[in-house]
Amino acid sequence: RIIGGAGALPVDQIRLMKEVIDGSRLKFLKPYGAPYYYLHPALEAIDRLKKDNISPASLTKLLRRESQVGRGPERQRELLRLYRGYEAALAVARLYDFNDMVLEVIRALETESDFRLMLQEEHHYLLADEHQDANQGQNELLRLLSSYHDRPNLFIVGDAKQAIFQFQGASLDNFN
């Protein structure tokens, strides 16, 4: 069952995140007297990470790199704990949130070469319309679907001047 997403009430997301927060020892993201103060910002951050195709494992690698540069990303480490807990809670409840639809297809295309080749054989021509609204996850999906040929039949339509949905993960970098 899908939770969250466009127009959906995030009741299940909030319930799951409350459970994760309750079961987590947090210094920064669980202030005394208001343990759910960062609940919505944490869900929004996880939503952005998923749109950018950043899994908990990828975030772990990014935070390790930042630690080596001398930064102290304590809040980010706590967000990573919440992200991992949230993903585990989704799995236990047999739920996935709206952004997981794209991420699950990306994971399948990355790990199942037969599946990827079948889709590439089936879809010789790809059209991505309104590409200014695409996020990194959607871009990765296009890259994987068109990766069989050096010069794929990929037609992208978009207007950089209309890239207004940055809050949904859209970026002008998609045009590079």
Side-chain angles (χ1 to χ4, degrees), residues 38-169:
Y38 291 106
L39 185 144
H40 288 286
L43 282 173
E44 289 169 3
I46 290 169
D47 185 61
R48 281 192 307 276
L49 288 166
K50 287 184 175 192
K51 286 177 181 169
D52 285 340
N53 193 25
I54 299 174
S55 66
S58 301
L59 184 57
T60 301
K61 290 176 187 172
L62 289 170
L63 292 177
R64 276 194 195 125
R65 260 188 263 138
E66 282 189 22
S67 294
Q68 292 171 352
V69 181
R71 297 181 185 163
E74 292 87 7
R75 288 178 193 228
Q76 290 88 344
R77 281 192 219 112
E78 287 191 0
L79 176 62
L80 173 59
R81 261 190 267 150
L82 291 178
Y83 191 3
R84 284 182 180 148
Y86 178 69
E87 290 296 293
L90 283 172
V92 167
R94 300 188 74 194
L95 299 170
Y96 61 98
D97 64 23
F98 188 74
N99 291 313
D100 288 333
M101 289 189 294
V102 172
L103 295 179
E104 287 301 317
V105 174
I106 289 171
R107 285 185 196 110
L109 290 172
E110 288 174 337
T111 59
E112 303 292 330
S113 59
D114 289 342
F115 176 60
R116 185 179 61 250
L117 289 170
M118 180 192 74
L119 288 178
Q120 289 170 337
E121 179 64 29
E122 219 171 89
H123 305 283
H124 292 266
Y125 301 93
L126 300 172
L127 167 65
D129 196 9
E130 300 292 334
H131 194 66
Q132 72 273 3
D133 300 334
N135 59 45
Q136 289 306 107
Q138 293 163 335
N139 260 355
E140 181 63 11
L141 185 58
L142 281 174
R143 188 192 68 74
L144 287 165
L145 287 172
S146 64
S147 65
Y148 185 76
H149 295 287
D150 292 335
R151 296 175 52 124
N153 291 311
L154 175 61
F155 190 79
I156 293 178
V157 179
D159 183 352
K161 293 177 182 170
Q162 291 184 18
I164 59 173
F165 294 111
Q166 197 166 19
F167 66 92
Q168 290 188 3

